[in-house]
Each structure stands twice: as structure tokens, then as C-alpha cells.
Amino acid sequence: MTLILICVAGLLALTPLALYWRGRDDVSRRIYAGAGGLCAALFLLDILPRGADALTTTLPLGLPWIGMHLRIDPLSGFFLAVVNLGGAAASAYAIGYGAHEKDPMRILPFFGAFIAGMNGVLLADDAFTFLVCWEFMSLSSFALVLAHHHEAENRAAAYVYLMMASFGTMCLLMAFGLLAGATGAYGFDAIRLAAKSPWTTGAVLALATLGAGSKAGLVPLHIWLPLAHPAAPSHVSALMSGVMTKVAIYGFIRFTFDLLGAPSFWWALHPLVFGALSALIGVLFATSQSDLKKLLAYSTIENIGIIFIALGLALAFKANGQALPAALAFTAALLHVFNHSLFKSALFFGAGAALAATGERNIERLGGLIHSMPRTAFLFLAACVAAAALPPLNGFVSEWLIFQAILLSPALPQWTLKLATPAVGVTLALTAALGAAAFVRAFGIVFLGRPRSAEAEKARETDQWSLGSMAVLVTLCLIAGVLPSVLIDTISPAAADFVGGRMPTQADVAWLSIAPVAESRSSYNGLLVFLFILVSSFGTRRFIQWLWPRPIRRAPAWDCGFVDRSPLTQYTASSFAQPFRRTLGHIAFSVREHLDMPPPGSTRPAYFAVETDERFVTYFYEPLTRAVWFCARRLNVFSVMSIQEYLALVFAALVFMLVIVAL
């Protein structure tokens, strides 16, 4: 614990060091190297075996006479490892990527503080420490989103993010207030032991879902995510999407599986419904986005929904005393937390490499990058395969485990869960298929074909630091997909603590297979699947070469009947997304297509454009914004009152509060 706190303090110390070294040419390299080294040390400390007992300590900070309570148990230790692995990868990537920043001092003072804030949330063992670190994490990430402040779009994104972060903090503050009660016992140990009425648990559950969901990007609280991720630098986007959203998942788990006590079955409905909605809405938007980083942001919303589905299943099984299915769903959720942090960080690194090489985020203006950036293309393709949940990479394993938990749902006694869980399963299956289509579209339009702009044609391979960071994450994606049994056994202690059961020890299963319940029911062997793919691919290639030994003949690419071989005649991202937009898009957004087709014989060019409006913005946030402005204009009268009127208002408010307390 002492070593961990020293490393977190070192991350905080990077802020004054960045200001002290601000005149040096190598300030970016120094700060990012320091952050990467400290995160790597924290990761190694987090994965060290600590025994069955949690590590605790109290610092003479925080509230007077109470102090700052810190604790590491199996759950927080797992999330600490996720955060610091992502922080180390982002720092290494930024050593090369940071050379492209025009104003690095808008980023460097806040980078280490952001990672330190996330570590603080995971270490907190009382409400005050948790909220202070949560807000510190939010404010430092707000400063990072605002790094490229010269663009009005980025300033608007930072403003929306700050508003949603403030809303989430307010919800968590009220949740802790209800849990602390009249005694004001803000320590987590005291909260666990306190008696809670049904209405208190219901209100806290709703507030925790709103508070953590707004930070995680849960629909309909997701609107900041597709705005903030494109605005932030790519390594910051990787941290926010791959790591910070997982801290929000941790907050939700800490409330619902720990502080609130034994769950009721209806607790599962919130994460199941909102998780399924998030997964479907996120993937539908991902299939139609032209901005590469915004596409990845909506994919994060999809994966957050998948994690909430698994957590909802775990709550349902735990409430009914079914320990093994609860452990399966809980383990699947944590495994997907780890897997998503790996492949989503690699995808943002790849998007940052393409952006640095071309200056373009619009995939309609990219294309052909596989020729000028072959190594980036290969690593981005591997990350796309993982994100599309295709074997043998890691995204498949965690989603397969979630489906295995859904198949156990008929054992639930409540009819609401019996009906809701299959519907969620169908939604998850549709989401998986659409997610694969979204990443086929992303990779194909960005890296295949011919360059669609002069910027794409001039692109060059990215630096070695960026490639190395992506390669490490992709390698971990492969290892986690081929050997998931090691990760499952690592997560099992957290499942035992929070759902009262654990999956069978996967190390005991033969041939490095995994069996969620029993081998006779279902099993998966990532290593054999990987070997089969390798052997069948290379074997087929050799067989074709033996069957047709003639030399390869090269010819011009098919021109699709066009006389002009312009890159504009290629299949576009909008064309690829049109079937999904027309068949399923009405669920998530309203679409208006504008077509101006000239008559036969006219030389006037045709015109086609598509406008999409997000329904949550149109029907929820815009009316809410108008209502807020209406109330604000009416309340302006309080800014021009006399001193006597102010005193009378304060006196009336005091009397009102006393009446409330008396009642």
C-alpha cells in the first residue's frame, strides 16, 4: 500500500514538474516517460498476490478527525490493474504522438493528475475521499478535452462534458447522503452495516445508476461521449474511453454489489434495460458515423451496455441465491471490462496514427492507408477483429460467457426476468452482428481501396513508440483470447467476494479450455481455434498454389463500369451504412435524405445528402434545455433584490427547512 501511494503521489508530482520544465524541448518526453514508468510500477504492484485480506490504511487528510480511508480488495485491485495498464500504454504512445502537439502545455500538467484521480477513486474507502477523487478525475479530464480549445466544436464538447460530469457527481453525492443517513457515517464499513429501508435502497440505486451511468456513457446519459472523444487528443481519448469509463463501472459495482447489501430481483431490471438500450443505440450510431473517433466513441457506448447487461444478470442470479450463474455473469462483466480496455485503446491509437499522418478524421477522405501505413493497418485490423467479437481474440470470449449466462436465465423464478432476459439476449446477438459490420466498414473504408484525398495519398507510417504501444495491446488481446482461463481464475476472488460464488477453476480443465459451468454443458478452447485458423488459412493457400502452379497474373482493378477511374467511384462509407440506416436507423435517430437527380441528357451533377438527428437530443435534451433557460430567466429577479429582500428570503428558507426537519 505504501508503494502504491508513493506512485500515485508521483503522478500528482508530474503537474508541477511539467510547469517547471515548460521551456524545455523534451518536456513531453519527460512527462510521458515518467507517467508511463509510474503506471507500469503501479500495474506490477496491483497484480502481485496480496493474500485473502484487503489492504487498508488511513491518511491524516480529508475530513477533520476522520482522515482519508483507503483500501484495496480483489475488486479494486482488478480495476487498478486495468487503469494503470491503460495509463502505461497511453503514456508510451504519447511519447511519439505528443511530438505532433502544437501546444503540449495544455495537456502535460493534467495528464498525470487524471491518472492519479482514477487511482484515487479505486482506492477510496469512504464517501468523502471517493467524491473528491471522482471530481478531481472529472475536472482534470475536462481540461484535457479542452486542450484544443481554439476550435469552437471542442469548446462546446468540453462544456457538455463538464455539465454531465457535474450532474453525475451530484447524483453520487445524494446517494452517499442517503446511505450515510442522519449519523453522517461516511466510511464504507459503517455504510455496509447500517440498516436501509426499501425506499432508501431504491433511491440510492437510481442515483448510483444515474451518477455512474453518466460517466460511463450509459444511454440516455451518453451525449458527452461522442463529443468529447473526438475533441481530446488521441491518447487522452484512449484513456477516457478505455479506462475512465471502467472507473464508472467500478462505482456502480461498489454501490449495487457492496454498499447496498443483499439485492432484490427488481434491481436487475435497470442495468438490463439500460444496458440493452445502450448496446443497440451505440452500435447503430457506430455503423453510420463518418468521423473515425466518433465511431469509436459510439462503439464504447455499445460495450458499456454489454457490461451492464452482464452486471444485471449477476444481480438477478445473486438475488435468487444462484451463486454459480451469478459468478459466471459477474466474471464475464469484469472480463469484458479488461478486454474492452485493451482493444479500444489500440483502436484509438490507430485512429490517432491515421489522424497524425493525414490530418483527417473523416473516413470518407481516407482510404488506401494499408499501402503507406502497413504496420498500423495490420494492428488496427487485429483490434477491429477483437472489437467485433470474432475468435480467437479476446472480445469473443467475454461476449460468449455473457451468452452462456443468458442461457441459464430460465432458472430465474420471476416472470419479469424470464421475459426480459431472452429479449436482452436477442438484442445482444443483433448488437454483435452490427458491431462486426461497423468495424468491417471502418477498416475497409480507412485502409483499403485507393486514397480519397491528397492528404491520404501523402500519408506515412507512424512512429515506433505508437506502433509499439499498439503492438503490446494487440498481443495482449491475442493472449487473453487464446488463454482466457488465467484471467478468469484471476477474477474469481472478486466474484466470490461480491456474488458469493465463483466459476469452476479453469486451470483444472484439460487442454487449456474454459468451461463456464461444466464441460458437458459448454466449453471453448481459444488455443485450438487459433491453431485451426492458422493451419486452415496457410494450408488453403498452399493447396491453391499446388493446384494452380502458374505465376500470379496482375491486371487492372475492376472499374465497376466507370470510364473515369477516380477514387470518387469507390464504395463509400455512407453507401455501406445505408442498409442499416434504412432498416434499423429509425430506432436511434431520425433520417432525412435529400436527393437531386438531374433529368436524362442534363450535365448538371446529381446531389445526395443525409441528415440524422439523435432522438434523445431532439425529444429529451432540447426540451430540457429550453425548460432550464425558461426557469433561469424567471429566476433572474433574485439577482437584483435589495438587502432587506435577501434577508427575508434567507429567513423564509430557514423556516421552511426547519418545518421539513420537524415533519
Side-chain angles (χ1 to χ4, degrees):
M1 176 66 85
T2 302
L3 292 174
I4 288 174
L5 293 179
I6 290 173
C7 290
V8 174
L11 289 170
L12 290 173
L14 292 177
T15 296
L17 284 175
L19 298 175
Y20 179 74
W21 289 330
R22 64 185 181 276
R24 298 180 62 99
D25 294 335
D26 61 345
V27 58
S28 295
R29 183 177 292 269
R30 284 172 173 245
I31 295 300
Y32 289 132
L38 290 169
C39 287
L42 281 167
F43 173 73
L44 293 175
L45 290 170
D46 294 330
I47 63 175
L48 287 176
R50 291 182 296 270
D53 297 331
L55 301 179
T56 59
T57 190
T58 302
L59 299 181
L61 303 170
L63 292 175
W65 301 290
I66 296 178
M68 178 182 288
H69 299 270
L70 306 174
R71 184 173 184 264
I72 301 178
D73 58 15
L75 180 70
S76 56
F78 169 78
F79 277 91
L80 282 167
V82 171
V83 165
N84 291 297
L85 178 60
S91 301
Y93 174 85
I95 293 176
Y97 181 82
H100 303 286
E101 287 293 338
K102 297 179 180 179
D103 190 4
M105 291 308 297
R106 298 285 306 185
I107 303 172
L108 298 178
F110 309 103
F111 186 78
F114 178 38
I115 302 175
M118 291 188 286
N119 278 277
V121 173
L122 302 175
L123 291 169
D125 197 33
D126 64 76
F128 179 80
T129 305
F130 185 97
L131 289 173
V132 168
C133 294
W134 183 279
E135 193 67 1
F136 189 76
M137 172 185 70
S138 300
L139 292 175
S140 54
S141 55
F142 161 73
L144 292 169
V145 172
L146 198 57
H148 300 157
H149 61 94
H150 49 279
E151 298 180 17
E153 183 180 359
N154 294 347
R155 295 195 298 271
Y159 174 74
V160 172
Y161 172 62
L162 184 63
M163 294 299 296
M164 294 304 297
S166 301
F167 170 77
T169 304
M170 179 189 70
C171 291
L172 294 179
L173 176 63
M174 291 191 292
F176 277 122
L178 288 173
L179 289 175
T183 60
Y186 290 106
F188 285 175
D189 287 335
I191 290 175
R192 292 184 187 98
L193 297 175
K196 305 171 186 67
S197 62
W199 77 266
T200 300
T201 56
V204 171
L205 179 64
L207 290 170
T209 304
L210 291 174
S214 65
K215 182 67 70 179
L218 196 67
V219 171
L221 306 170
H222 66 289
I223 59 167
W224 66 269
L225 213 136
L227 299 176
H229 286 3
S234 295
H235 57 296
V236 175
S237 300
L239 275 180
M240 295 180 68
S241 183
V243 177
M244 186 188 72
T245 54
K246 309 310 179 298
V247 177
I249 295 291
Y250 166 82
F252 179 80
I253 295 174
R254 182 61 71 184
F255 270 99
T256 54
F257 287 86
D258 186 14
L259 300 181
L260 281 177
S264 300
F265 79 92
W266 59 268
W267 292 17
L269 295 176
H270 298 81
L272 281 175
V273 173
F274 288 110
L277 186 64
S278 300
L280 184 58
I281 297 297
V283 76
L284 285 174
F285 271 102
T287 57
S288 61
Q289 293 302 310
S290 295
D291 188 311
L292 181 56
K293 293 180 72 174
K294 191 171 288 189
L295 183 155
L296 298 179
Y298 277 112
S299 172
T300 295
I301 296 171
E302 172 212 352
N303 283 276
I304 292 299
I306 292 173
I307 294 170
F308 268 88
I309 288 173
L311 292 175
L313 290 170
L315 280 173
F317 289 124
K318 181 182 178 182
N320 288 285
Q322 300 173 0
L324 179 57
L328 170 58
F330 191 81
T331 303
L334 295 191
L335 186 59
H336 201 68
V337 164
F338 179 76
N339 291 339
H340 180 255
S341 69
L342 294 180
F343 63 70
K344 188 50 61 70
S345 296
L347 286 169
F348 269 109
F349 292 167
L355 175 61
T358 63
E360 286 287 346
R361 291 200 318 253
N362 188 348
I363 61 177
E364 301 281 17
R365 293 183 54 80
L366 297 174
L369 296 185
I370 194 172
H371 303 293
S372 55
M373 307 175 69
R375 287 178 288 179
T376 300
F378 173 76
L379 295 171
F380 192 87
L381 174 62
C384 286
V385 172
L390 297 176
L393 297 182
N394 58 346
F396 172 82
V397 179
S398 48
E399 290 200 26
W400 180 78
L401 287 176
I402 296 173
F403 278 113
Q404 296 304 312
I406 291 175
L407 293 176
L408 297 175
S409 62
L412 294 170
Q414 294 83 14
W415 279 103
T416 51
L417 295 176
K418 283 179 177 290
L419 296 175
T421 307
V424 169
V426 172
T427 304
L428 185 58
L430 177 61
T431 297
L434 291 175
F439 284 102
V440 167
R441 171 179 176 266
F443 180 81
I445 300 299
V446 172
F447 289 97
L448 302 183
R450 287 172 289 170
R452 294 173 171 81
S453 64
E455 292 80 4
E457 195 168 1
K458 298 175 184 177
R460 295 294 180 268
E461 187 62 271
T462 189
D463 60 274
Q464 297 300 316
W465 282 103
S466 300
L467 289 173
S469 302
M470 294 173 63
V472 169
L473 293 178
V474 167
T475 302
L476 290 175
C477 287
L478 179 61
I479 294 173
V482 172
L483 302 173
S485 56
V486 178
L487 282 173
I488 292 174
D489 290 341
T490 303
I491 296 171
S492 291
D497 285 352
F498 287 86
V499 298
R502 57 173 293 162
M503 289 175 57
T505 303
Q506 302 301 305
D508 297 338
V509 183
W511 298 97
L512 298 175
S513 298
I514 58 172
V517 180
E519 289 185 80
S520 59
R521 184 181 182 94
S522 61
S523 62
Y524 170 74
N525 191 302
L527 181 60
L528 290 181
V529 171
F530 178 57
L531 293 176
F532 172 77
I533 292 174
L534 287 180
V535 172
S536 60
S537 300
F538 286 102
T540 303
R541 180 175 181 269
R542 294 296 299 173
F543 179 75
I544 293 174
Q545 289 178 341
W546 171 78
L547 191 65
W548 191 264
R550 301 177 186 179
I552 297 174
R553 181 171 60 90
R554 297 188 179 275
W558 182 46
D559 58 10
C560 303
F562 288 98
V563 178
D564 181 15
R565 294 183 60 195
S566 166
L568 296 177
T569 62
Q570 297 180 104
Y571 208 61
T572 64
S574 299
S575 302
F576 196 104
Q578 186 189 60
F580 306 109
R581 187 178 68 242
R582 289 186 172 180
T583 55
L584 297 170
H586 63 278
I587 299 174
F589 42 77
S590 55
V591 181
R592 292 184 299 275
E593 295 185 353
H594 304 281
L595 176 63
D596 181 14
M597 182 64 69
S602 173
T603 59
R604 180 169 56 86
Y607 174 80
F608 177 76
V610 179
E611 292 183 36
T612 59
D613 294 324
E614 188 169 352
R615 295 188 184 277
F616 285 106
V617 174
T618 305
Y619 299 113
F620 180 72
Y621 284 102
E622 288 183 357
L624 180 63
T625 302
R626 288 193 295 268
V628 169
W629 279 112
F630 176 82
C631 295
R633 285 191 292 268
R634 295 298 182 273
L635 293 174
N636 272 342
V637 63
F638 292 107
S639 64
V640 291
M641 294 169 59
S642 65
I643 185 65
Q644 292 87 354
E645 291 171 324
Y646 278 125
L647 291 173
L649 183 64
V650 171
F651 179 75
L654 179 61
V655 171
F656 176 76
M657 294 300 297
L658 289 174
V659 170
I660 293 297
V661 171
L663 293 176

